[in-house]
Amino acid sequence: MRISAKLRRFIWLFILFVWVALAAIFLVPQLALKFSRPTPLQVVDIASSNITNTNSSKKPISPSPTEKSSSSKPPILVSSNAITPTTFTNKTIDRNPIKKVFPSDFISANVKTQYGAKGDGVTDDTAAIQKALNDERDEEQDYFGKPKALYFPAGTYLISNTLNWKGCCMSWQGQGAGISIIKLKDKTKSFGDRNAPKPVIQTIDGNMSFRQNITDLTVDTGKNNPGAIGIDYISNNFGSLWNVLIRSGDGQGKVGLDMSRQWAGPCLIKNVQINGFDYGIVTKNLEYGPTFEEITLQQQKVAGILNDGNTLAIRKLQSKNSVPVIQNQAPAGMIIVIDGNFQGGAAKASAIENNGYLYARNINTSGYKSAIHHKETIVSGTSVSEYVSDKIYNLFDSPMRSLNLPIEETPVFEDKNLANWMAFSPQWYGETDSLQDALNSGKSTIYFPFGTYFSHDKKVFKVPASVRRIVGFSSIVNGGGIVFRVEQNSDKPLIIEQFGYGVTIEHASPRTVVIQHGGYEYKDFPKSGKLFLEDVGVSLRINYPHQVWARQLNVETLDAARTKIENKGGTLWILGLKTEGKGSVINTTKGGKTEVLGTLIYPVHDFTAQEKQEAAFISNNSSQSLIYSVSAYGENKNYDIQVEETRNGVKRQLLSKDFPGRMPLFVGYK
């Protein structure tokens, strides 16, 4: 039978219609799934930014962390009325990451131009980068006080072995996560054994690994490297990873960020995303309490965070996983986690598996059977307003919940127009007069090209309102140091960052000031504005009623017994406090408010009988809530009194002998 041309056209059109329909049914959902899968996130537009420790291999004598709670039936607080849950979104990496720009002279050690790395994704750059790390550190010396900085311009730096270095004070600066990439070759033999894991980048051992900084970089462990660790990281006193992406090319690998060696912290891990691996982050040991903020974990195989004994202060943790987000494994381990958003989940798993001490606040989960599994108890509910796993301590009638002070985010600023940058370039070593000229230039960003500077005297330089950022790129100032005096007001915050030491800030105006990444001195005045501290070592004196937010604050008084922090009428919020030495930790008076969310009090030295009578935390007609750990290695190396509170002339004390070495929560306010 012959078919007419008109009918043939109809049949072909019908067949074409069927093909299109089938494509819509089967192909479009697959493409949608492909493009909706989580992509590596990129942090953009974040303003970046030595005191010798001693330790002992002995276990703490008094007080010591114990496996048993201080109460036979520890109260659990899930307060639905005290805390108003809030939602948040972490700063995440854009699909089209923005390349950061820097002046040509900000760091002289460019791994491409000075050391011959190609960064083309094809050439093996291991030898070139290792040469850059070894340069001027080849001899048998410690280099504990000598800073060094390397610049990794945009590119993919292919490597085939672990990159490490001698000494402290090493800074890696990239042009952005997703822009500057350290990538392990696929199927590298020495990274193939999961039972003998090996890092791509590794800092030095010990408790003198000061000021180790890695920023604006991606570390990619490639494919078919099941024994790979992204970064094996230790930094002490201050040092940080910020704006860093750690990813596995195929999900394999042991750990993204390994902080299990002794002694990690105190340090700050901020704006870090980890994709893949068995574990996203692993921490261990009792010291020294790292701080985490704005962390994103996804696609881990066993757990997002595994903690075996340390005290972790965590804020704004975001997880996209089907495995537990946090496993707090050891009885002495402590987790403080606030503002958590845990998505994905598994019907048979809890988001947090806790076998130690846990404080959780404002936690939201989906997909998990519960937010918290504490020891043998599954805590009902997939969200938590506030939860305390163990006894809540108090000396007077107080609300049995944290002070929950308002939290403000640290201001950021980065001027992408290099015409608005001005270098401080001394005419000779020790010349500082030209610094005031640079500050008065009208430029928004004043920078110290990386190096060692000298000031004969402690000279004061006035910072005009036109300056919005002063950055040292890990420089140090020897001699008398320099003082930045902030007198002019502005509605734009001033950011001072990345000075290893030698800089003082006099905060003499209502202008907001941000101090980051390094060791500083600080002085406030009656009109001082808001103060933000991140990853700093400073003895803090709040003499007037202004607001302070501190993330990763290290205060050491090893030379004498004196108060480390004074809060005279101010509002002080701390995420991650670590102290060493004698003298009270915080003295809050004149109606001040103090909230401490971790981490470690480390008395270290022998106390005299008189020194032992000074409490670690003192409050006089003021308000405080405290969560922290104590490591005391000897009967005389600790305070006899943990907390002393006075109300209306009545003084009461919490003694160390009545305290298990971990403070789940102390409340002392009306």
Side-chain angles (χ1 to χ4, degrees):
M1 178 177 66
R2 297 185 62 187
I3 302 174
S4 67
K6 185 176 182 179
L7 182 57
R8 286 197 301 271
R9 285 196 298 273
F10 175 81
I11 292 171
W12 281 113
L13 287 171
F14 178 78
I15 293 171
L16 180 61
F17 174 80
V18 171
W19 285 350
V20 172
L22 290 172
I25 293 170
F26 294 103
L27 295 180
V28 171
Q30 296 300 317
L31 290 171
L33 177 62
K34 176 180 179 181
F35 289 106
S36 66
R37 284 172 182 161
T39 57
L41 301 181
Q42 171 74 31
V43 181
V44 296
D45 290 341
I46 307 299
S48 61
S49 86
N50 303 328
I51 303 170
T52 302
N53 262 349
T54 57
N55 207 326
S56 169
S57 60
K58 298 180 181 178
K59 294 187 179 295
I61 296 176
S62 175
S64 62
T66 61
E67 296 190 16
K68 295 182 180 180
S69 167
S70 56
S71 173
S72 59
K73 293 183 179 180
I76 293 175
L77 174 69
V78 183
S79 174
S80 59
N81 298 321
I83 309 297
T84 302
T86 58
T87 58
F88 68 92
T89 302
N90 276 4
K91 296 181 179 71
T92 53
I93 297 172
D94 203 288
R95 292 188 179 187
N96 298 304
I98 298 173
K99 184 188 295 186
K100 290 193 172 185
V101 293
F102 300 98
S104 59
D105 63 342
F106 84 114
I107 291 177
S108 60
N110 183 317
V111 296
K112 282 187 176 181
T113 59
Q114 186 171 342
Y115 295 101
K118 300 299 182 184
D120 57 12
V122 178
T123 306
D124 190 328
D125 284 326
T126 308
I129 297 174
Q130 194 60 57
K131 179 181 178 182
L133 293 166
N134 292 343
D135 192 19
E136 298 182 348
R137 296 195 175 201
D138 290 338
E139 305 107 14
E140 291 299 321
Q141 296 184 31
D142 291 332
Y143 295 100
F144 280 125
K146 184 176 182 180
K148 184 166 185 175
L150 296 179
Y151 176 43
F152 291 80
T156 297
Y157 300 86
L158 203 61
I159 67 163
S160 55
N161 205 354
T162 299
L163 300 171
N164 51 30
W165 59 91
K166 294 180 181 179
C168 76
C169 318
M170 177 71 73
S171 294
W172 297 44
Q173 175 68 61
Q175 281 195 272
I179 300 290
S180 300
I181 303 168
I182 309 295
K183 185 179 185 300
L184 179 64
K185 284 184 178 181
D186 295 342
K187 204 173 182 179
T188 300
K189 185 177 180 180
S190 60
F191 291 81
D193 187 352
R194 291 184 72 259
N195 296 318
K198 184 174 180 179
V200 174
I201 297 173
Q202 184 177 49
T203 63
I204 66 170
D205 287 325
N207 61 357
M208 296 180 71
S209 185
F210 308 133
R211 306 202 312 269
Q212 311 283 19
N213 298 307
I214 300 175
T215 184
D216 298 320
L217 280 170
T218 289
V219 176
D220 188 328
T221 60
K223 298 179 180 179
N224 295 314
N225 292 310
I229 294 170
I231 303 177
D232 184 349
Y233 181 76
I234 290 176
S235 192
N236 310 127
N237 293 352
F238 34 94
S240 66
L241 304 183
W242 78 97
N243 306 347
V244 170
L245 169 62
I246 305 172
R247 69 188 181 201
S248 166
D250 58 3
Q252 296 189 70
K254 192 72 173 179
V255 183
L257 175 59
D258 188 353
M259 303 177 70
S260 63
R261 286 182 294 154
Q262 290 182 320
W263 292 270
C267 57
L268 178 65
I269 313 299
K270 183 164 183 175
N271 290 338
V272 171
Q273 177 169 323
I274 303 174
N275 297 348
F277 305 96
D278 293 346
Y279 298 94
I281 300 171
V282 174
T283 56
K284 197 175 181 180
N285 307 305
L286 295 178
E287 292 92 19
Y288 289 105
T291 301
F292 302 83
E293 189 174 37
E294 294 182 2
I295 307 297
T296 300
L297 304 171
Q298 58 186 28
Q299 300 172 352
Q300 278 76 54
K301 291 182 171 63
V302 182
I305 298 175
L306 173 64
N307 179 48
D308 186 10
N310 216 320
T311 299
L312 311 185
I314 308 169
R315 178 173 178 261
K316 296 182 74 170
L317 172 63
Q318 183 166 287
S319 172
K320 298 176 182 178
N321 269 307
S322 59
V323 298
V325 181
I326 298 173
Q327 291 180 331
N328 190 29
Q329 183 170 283
M334 174 179 272
I335 297 287
I336 302 111
V337 56
I338 65 173
D339 300 339
N341 187 3
F342 308 153
Q343 304 300 313
K348 294 184 178 180
S350 297
I352 302 174
E353 297 178 350
N354 178 56
N355 196 41
Y357 293 81
L358 173 65
Y359 175 85
R361 188 172 80 200
N362 188 27
I363 305 298
N364 297 295
T365 76
S366 70
Y368 292 97
K369 68 178 178 182
S370 71
I372 297 170
H373 187 168
H374 173 61
K375 296 182 179 178
E376 303 302 321
T377 302
I378 297 175
V379 180
S380 62
T382 57
S383 63
V384 175
S385 294
E386 185 171 38
Y387 171 88
V388 184
S389 66
D390 291 78
K391 179 179 177 180
I392 300 173
Y393 291 81
N394 63 302
L395 294 169
F396 293 87
D397 288 339
S398 297
M400 299 304 281
R401 58 181 182 267
S402 68
L403 200 54
N404 191 31
L405 295 176
I407 303 170
E408 290 193 14
E409 306 303 323
T410 304
V412 297
F413 173 74
E414 187 165 352
D415 199 327
K416 293 179 173 55
N417 183 357
L418 293 182
N420 295 328
W421 290 53
M422 171 65 73
F424 166 51
S425 300
Q427 299 179 38
W428 59 84
Y429 185 69
E431 187 272 320
T432 57
D433 290 343
S434 58
L435 176 55
Q436 191 63 61
D437 294 334
L439 292 166
N440 293 341
S441 65
K443 305 297 185 181
S444 71
T445 304
I446 308 302
Y447 70 98
F448 286 52
F450 169 73
T452 300
Y453 295 79
F454 185 84
S455 176
H456 291 281
D457 301 310
K458 195 169 189 177
K459 193 167 183 179
V460 177
F461 300 90
K462 295 183 178 181
V463 182
S466 57
V467 176
R468 297 186 60 184
R469 185 181 178 207
I470 303 173
V471 55
F473 294 113
S474 298
S475 296
I476 58 175
V477 182
N478 289 321
I482 57 177
V483 178
F484 291 117
R485 185 175 176 87
V486 185
E487 290 182 339
Q488 293 186 12
N489 192 18
S490 172
D491 61 350
K492 305 296 184 184
L494 170 65
I495 299 169
I496 300 174
E497 59 175 316
Q498 298 184 64
F499 289 92
Y501 55 82
V503 170
T504 298
I505 294 92
E506 293 185 350
H507 193 179
S509 92
R511 186 178 189 183
T512 295
V513 170
V514 180
I515 306 173
Q516 298 174 309
H517 307 303
Y520 299 89
E521 295 179 22
Y522 172 82
K523 183 179 180 181
D524 68 351
F525 289 82
K527 294 183 179 181
S528 295
K530 295 177 180 179
L531 174 65
F532 294 83
L533 302 170
E534 280 197 345
D535 184 34
V536 299
V538 60
S539 291
L540 184 61
R541 300 288 184 267
I542 304 171
N543 295 301
Y544 305 98
H546 62 113
Q547 295 173 290
V548 180
W549 291 268
R551 286 124 164 125
Q552 205 298 85
L553 175 62
N554 181 67
V555 189
E556 302 189 3
T557 54
L558 297 177
D559 58 337
R562 62 179 183 275
T563 301
K564 298 167 181 62
I565 299 172
E566 291 184 356
N567 179 7
K568 298 177 181 178
T571 301
L572 172 62
W573 176 88
I574 303 176
L575 180 74
L577 169 68
K578 180 260 183 179
T579 68
E580 285 192 32
K582 300 178 288 187
S584 63
V585 175
I586 303 178
N587 189 352
T588 306
T589 58
K590 297 185 178 180
K593 297 179 181 179
T594 298
E595 181 174 14
V596 175
L597 297 162
T599 54
L600 180 69
I601 308 306
Y602 189 42
V604 184
H605 290 170
D606 284 323
F607 285 55
T608 66
Q610 182 178 353
E611 290 167 344
K612 287 172 73 67
Q613 294 306 305
E614 185 174 22
F617 294 91
I618 302 171
S619 175
N620 190 341
N621 293 317
S622 298
S623 300
Q624 62 181 2
S625 68
L626 312 168
I627 307 169
Y628 62 94
S629 297
V630 175
S631 287
Y633 292 88
E635 293 181 359
N636 293 320
K637 288 182 167 65
N638 195 14
Y639 305 87
D640 276 354
I641 306 163
Q642 286 297 311
V643 183
E644 179 180 283
E645 183 176 356
T646 302
R647 289 191 190 181
N648 301 318
V650 178
K651 180 188 295 185
R652 295 176 182 171
Q653 297 174 332
L654 173 63
L655 303 181
S656 294
K657 67 182 181 64
D658 299 323
F659 158 80
R662 296 289 183 264
M663 177 58 75
L665 176 63
F666 176 90
V667 291
Y669 65 100
K670 296 180 180 179

